[in-house]
Amino acid sequence: MDKNTITGFVLIALILIGFSWWSRPSEEEQRAAFVKDSIEQVNKANTEQQRQTAQNKQRSLARQKALADTNALFHNAMTGEEQKIVLQNSKLSLTLNSKGAAVEKVVVKQFKDRFGNPDMVLFDGKDQSISYMLAAKETNISTSDLYFEPTEISDSTVVFTAQASEGKSIVMSYRLGADYMLHMQMRVNGMGGLFAPNTSTMDVNWYDMCRQQEKGFTFENRYASLTWHKTKGGTDYLRETSEYRNEPIEDNFDWVAFKNQFFSAVMIAKNNFQEGALATSVPQKKGSGYLKEYGIQMKTFFDPSGQQPSEFEFYYGPNDFHLLKTVEEQSTFGKDLEMQDLVYLGWTIFRFINRWFTLPLFELIAGFGINMAIVLILITLILKGITYPLVKKSYMSSAKMRVLKPKLEEATKHLNKPEDAMQKQQAMMAEYSKYGVSPLSGCLPMLIQMPIWIAMFQFVPNAIQLRGQSFLWIDDLSTYDPIIEWGTNLWLIGDHLSLTCILFCAGQLLYSWMMARQQKDQMVGAQAEQLKMMQWMMYLMPLMFFFMFNDYSSGLNFYYFVSLFMSASIMFLLRKTTNDEKLLRILEARYQENKNNPKKMSGLAARLQAMQEQQMELQRKREELERKKRDLRGS
């Protein structure tokens, strides 16, 4: 850059700075603009508040009118006393309230809650509500406003009836199955004339404050989602970390689930829910005791004549893969519900690995009744045994490159100029090919192992079998294992230090150090310099993992720690049992064989050798041309 160019840039900069200073508003103008903006913001806030007030008033008036209309029709059912009916079996205890004729409390038996109580409350009282809305000609009927009379009560059945005038009634019948399924039918009697002739649907409004059930709020919240199953097949959900309010669902669907990490409340409709449902999922703050605020407004089949009931089934229970598959057998609807999709096993190849390998293997080993941490260790041993041939092949490829390093340095020592980088790389590849060594053969086996690591990352956090299982210092393998806790959240770290996370990161650091040493022994020239930067990245990775995995389950961190420890042990044993001198002699023999019989060389090796010879010929011609130029200048 010359002097005139520099002067030009300086003048342009001075002009821009001067113009900016000259055109900026005065202090009085800035104050006036600030006051104007403040007034606009206040007016905007007042307008929004007025709009909300008007909407709330409109809803209140509509509600009062609906209550008045309902009161006229269901005069006797608008008042009464709440009666609590309990249906229970060995797995569930359900409390139904006669006001609204709906389940208001669910206790899942044989699963401890996070406070150590023997049974877990899925929801209770005002945390959950469900109402069925019937739009008649002159009134809107909401079942949540009516007091029903319970009859035919037993441990597994109850029939609720809300009587209207002139023999009209709404009947809701419940039957609890032997497991986690509740069957329900709803029909109206004598009310056909109250509805328009084309009425065929009713509204269902379901709301739930999803409780925090596990110790690790952040980790559990990652797996809590509002999920539904499309009638045409497949499931969809609202993203766990995002906030949704009245998000439209553009498909017909069979069921909708309010899901947390290990338990779900699911509502299934025999005649489907129609597209256009509005779903809500709002993440809650840590310490509130809740994960999400769930809500959904949907439409489903309704027969005003009462000849055909609206039928529903509810599943309140654990997210256990095989248990959820049996729901279809317990259901009376004859649908392919695919409720096992509530257990997230990853996508595409990772789901395939977990579905047909990891899960059967896990259940097979766990069937012997051993500790779940031992199950994870045995799974790790089996996986290491399966992948050992690949690991050994990868290591031997690295070992061959290590023993050939002196020969590569000798063969490429004359190619040290920056412009010789490409030629040097080609020369190294050609040298490898002479000895029958492929540097890429060490990468592919390691890449093949990556899907297993990722598949386990998806499987372990969703394995309900780990919930509440202890091992050594770990109280619960499904959540973090703190060695120290404090009251406030610190950025990136949280409010605790997890011991298994520290062990995993230490194992990752050890393994990274071993891999760096192995790569250093085989790198030549500029590659060795590039490796230094890569090593820093490898050593920083455990620190990144610490911030990522400190909130994760101790079972996952424990698996990764054991896996890394075994990987490091395998690498150490392979290093100790590999005779470099013997390996070099084998490579030398192969080199002589390829040299004496070039046809035996692989297609890649032959092409590399031809490329090297071509490069050498070009180099010879270049040197010859340079020599002639020097001779001409000298003469």
Side-chain angles (χ1 to χ4, degrees):
M1 186 179 293
D2 59 22
K3 181 179 179 181
N4 292 334
T5 304
I6 295 174
T7 303
F9 278 128
V10 171
L11 290 175
I12 291 172
L14 290 174
I15 291 171
L16 290 173
I17 293 171
F19 179 77
S20 300
W21 178 83
W22 179 78
S23 61
R24 70 176 182 173
S26 63
E27 292 185 4
E28 291 79 7
E29 291 174 330
Q30 292 180 19
R31 283 195 295 270
F34 175 77
V35 171
K36 181 180 179 182
D37 290 342
S38 299
I39 292 173
E40 289 179 352
Q41 291 178 5
V42 170
N43 290 337
K44 184 178 180 181
N46 290 335
T47 302
E48 177 64 20
Q49 185 176 4
Q50 290 172 3
R51 187 182 67 82
Q52 288 284 359
T53 302
Q55 286 184 349
N56 292 336
K57 184 177 180 180
Q58 186 176 3
R59 291 194 193 101
S60 179
L61 291 174
R63 176 69 174 163
Q64 291 175 10
K65 183 179 184 303
L67 284 173
D69 292 339
T70 304
N71 188 52
L73 180 63
F74 285 90
H75 177 72
N76 295 329
M78 291 298 295
T79 58
E81 294 184 3
E82 296 183 5
Q83 300 182 54
K84 306 299 177 76
I85 308 299
V86 177
L87 307 182
Q88 59 181 329
N89 55 26
S90 61
K91 305 293 180 64
L92 283 180
S93 176
L94 307 178
T95 301
L96 291 85
N97 195 327
S98 64
K99 184 179 182 182
V103 177
E104 71 169 15
K105 180 178 181 180
V106 172
V107 178
V108 184
K109 299 180 180 179
Q110 303 172 24
F111 286 94
K112 290 184 178 181
D113 65 12
R114 62 190 175 107
F115 304 109
N117 298 313
D119 299 324
M120 190 206 71
V121 178
L122 191 62
F123 58 77
D124 187 12
K126 300 299 182 182
D127 288 349
Q128 189 264 176
S129 65
I130 187 168
S131 63
Y132 305 90
M133 308 286 293
L134 309 177
K137 294 177 183 177
E138 299 179 357
T139 183
N140 291 323
I141 305 167
S142 174
T143 58
S144 61
D145 297 327
L146 304 178
Y147 288 85
F148 288 75
E149 182 68 26
T151 58
E152 302 181 31
I153 302 171
S154 70
D155 285 343
S156 60
T157 61
V158 63
V159 176
F160 290 103
T161 305
Q163 294 290 348
S165 59
E166 301 175 359
K168 300 176 177 62
S169 65
I170 300 175
V171 180
M172 301 171 70
S173 305
Y174 290 91
R175 177 177 60 84
L176 178 62
D179 215 335
Y180 297 97
M181 290 286 289
L182 176 67
H183 307 266
M184 180 266 213
Q185 288 188 353
M186 174 182 174
R187 71 168 72 236
V188 295
N189 296 320
M191 297 174 60
L194 299 179
F195 297 92
N198 60 347
T199 300
S200 61
T201 62
M202 66 176 174
D203 293 324
V204 181
N205 296 334
W206 191 18
Y207 170 85
D208 179 35
M209 290 295 293
C210 181
R211 290 189 175 191
Q212 178 185 348
Q213 302 292 356
E214 315 303 326
K215 179 171 65 176
F217 171 86
T218 304
F219 189 66
E220 184 183 7
N221 215 2
R222 288 192 185 104
Y223 296 92
S225 64
L226 190 154
T227 306
W228 62 91
H229 179 261
K230 304 172 187 177
T231 304
K232 60 186 179 183
T235 57
D236 204 350
Y237 64 99
L238 300 181
R239 289 186 178 275
E240 298 88 347
T241 56
S242 301
E243 178 177 320
Y244 298 90
R245 294 185 185 274
N246 296 326
E247 181 74 13
I249 298 177
E250 304 297 340
D251 302 284
N252 292 337
F253 53 102
D254 299 309
W255 54 259
V256 59
F258 294 162
K259 172 183 176 294
N260 63 15
Q261 184 179 3
F262 292 124
F263 300 91
S264 292
V266 185
M267 184 178 187
I268 310 164
K270 181 177 182 179
N271 297 101
N272 308 329
F273 296 109
Q274 296 183 0
E275 62 179 317
L278 301 178
T280 295
S281 176
V282 181
Q284 302 299 293
K285 293 182 179 180
K286 186 175 183 177
S288 66
Y290 299 98
L291 302 174
K292 299 281 197 313
E293 176 189 350
Y294 288 139
I296 189 164
Q297 304 170 37
M298 45 196 175
K299 291 182 180 293
T300 189
F301 167 80
F302 169 66
D303 179 11
S305 69
Q307 296 180 5
Q308 187 175 351
S310 299
E311 295 188 59
F312 305 94
E313 291 175 333
F314 297 86
Y315 174 88
Y316 304 114
N319 298 331
D320 182 292
F321 187 89
H322 287 297
L323 177 62
L324 288 167
K325 283 181 67 68
T326 65
V327 169
E328 293 178 14
E329 301 173 5
Q330 301 176 44
S331 173
T332 60
F333 298 163
K335 292 185 172 186
D336 184 10
L337 297 173
E338 298 181 305
M339 279 181 56
Q340 66 273 13
D341 285 355
L342 287 172
V343 181
Y344 184 67
L345 297 179
W347 47 273
T348 60
I349 187 173
F350 310 119
R351 181 173 182 82
F352 181 84
I353 292 171
N354 283 327
R355 173 65 183 89
W356 301 108
F357 176 76
T358 310
L359 185 61
L361 179 63
F362 181 86
E363 293 179 337
L364 175 65
I365 300 174
F368 292 101
I370 57 181
N371 186 276
M372 286 299 165
I374 305 299
V375 172
L376 291 176
I377 293 174
L378 292 176
I379 288 177
T380 309
L381 284 171
I382 293 171
L383 291 175
K384 291 301 178 185
I386 293 173
T387 58
Y388 176 76
L390 299 175
V391 174
K392 185 176 181 181
K393 183 177 181 180
S394 175
Y395 174 81
M396 292 307 297
S397 177
S398 301
K400 291 172 184 178
M401 295 170 67
R402 181 179 68 244
V403 299
L404 289 176
K405 180 179 178 180
K407 295 185 177 296
L408 265 68
E409 290 176 338
E410 179 65 24
T412 60
K413 64 181 181 181
H414 63 287
L415 301 171
N416 291 323
K417 297 178 182 179
E419 59 267 23
D420 295 334
M422 179 68 70
Q423 189 177 351
K424 184 173 185 177
Q425 185 68 24
Q426 292 172 348
M428 290 170 56
M429 294 298 294
E431 198 71 18
Y432 282 135
S433 68
K434 292 178 182 178
Y435 292 91
V437 175
S438 174
L440 297 178
S441 65
C443 302
L444 184 59
M446 299 304 295
L447 291 176
I448 293 175
Q449 295 183 78
M450 287 303 296
I452 296 177
W453 265 63
I454 300 174
M456 290 299 292
F457 176 81
Q458 305 290 355
F459 173 77
V460 174
N462 291 286
I464 193 173
Q465 294 86 347
L466 299 179
R467 187 180 186 271
Q469 296 293 310
S470 61
F471 180 71
L472 298 178
W473 71 90
I474 304 172
D475 294 330
D476 187 348
L477 286 166
S478 70
T479 187
Y480 60 83
D481 56 319
I483 55 171
I484 183 173
E485 294 183 274
W486 49 88
T488 57
N489 278 320
L490 299 180
W491 183 61
L492 293 178
I493 298 178
D495 57 4
H496 66 275
L497 290 177
S498 175
L499 180 54
T500 52
C501 179
I502 295 173
L503 291 175
F504 160 48
C505 294
Q508 179 67 41
L509 187 64
L510 172 64
Y511 189 70
S512 298
W513 175 75
M514 294 182 68
M515 293 298 295
R517 282 191 60 189
Q518 178 177 310
Q519 292 174 354
K520 183 179 179 181
D521 291 341
Q522 66 193 45
M523 294 299 181
V524 178
Q527 290 180 335
E529 294 299 321
Q530 295 173 0
L531 179 63
K532 293 180 181 179
M533 182 59 68
M534 292 178 60
Q535 285 177 347
W536 280 109
M537 295 176 64
M538 293 170 65
Y539 293 147
L540 285 174
M541 192 175 295
L543 181 62
M544 296 170 57
F545 280 158
F546 170 76
F547 293 123
M548 290 173 58
F549 285 82
N550 191 44
D551 264 331
Y552 273 54
S553 70
S554 55
L556 183 63
N557 283 320
F558 178 74
Y559 163 76
Y560 279 148
F561 167 69
V562 172
S563 180
L564 284 168
F565 178 80
M566 292 182 181
S567 295
S569 300
I570 291 171
M571 296 296 291
F572 178 79
L573 291 174
L574 287 173
R575 184 69 176 88
K576 288 297 183 181
T577 55
T578 300
N579 188 323
D580 287 1
E581 294 180 358
K582 181 178 178 181
L583 181 59
L584 183 58
R585 287 196 298 269
I586 294 172
L587 294 175
E588 290 283 6
R590 184 179 299 169
Y591 170 69
Q592 290 300 326
E593 184 179 358
N594 289 337
K595 184 178 180 181
N596 296 330
N597 186 8
K599 293 182 179 180
K600 291 193 64 176
M601 296 179 66
S602 67
L604 176 62
R607 287 194 297 271
L608 288 172
Q609 185 176 13
M611 187 184 298
Q612 184 191 28
E613 291 173 354
Q614 185 180 8
Q615 289 291 334
M616 292 176 66
E617 180 64 21
L618 289 173
Q619 180 69 18
R620 187 189 63 78
K621 290 180 178 180
R622 190 183 298 116
E623 292 174 355
E624 181 67 20
L625 182 61
E626 289 292 332
R627 186 183 62 78
K628 288 180 179 180
K629 287 182 180 179
R630 286 195 300 270
D631 291 344
L632 288 173
R633 285 196 297 268
S635 62

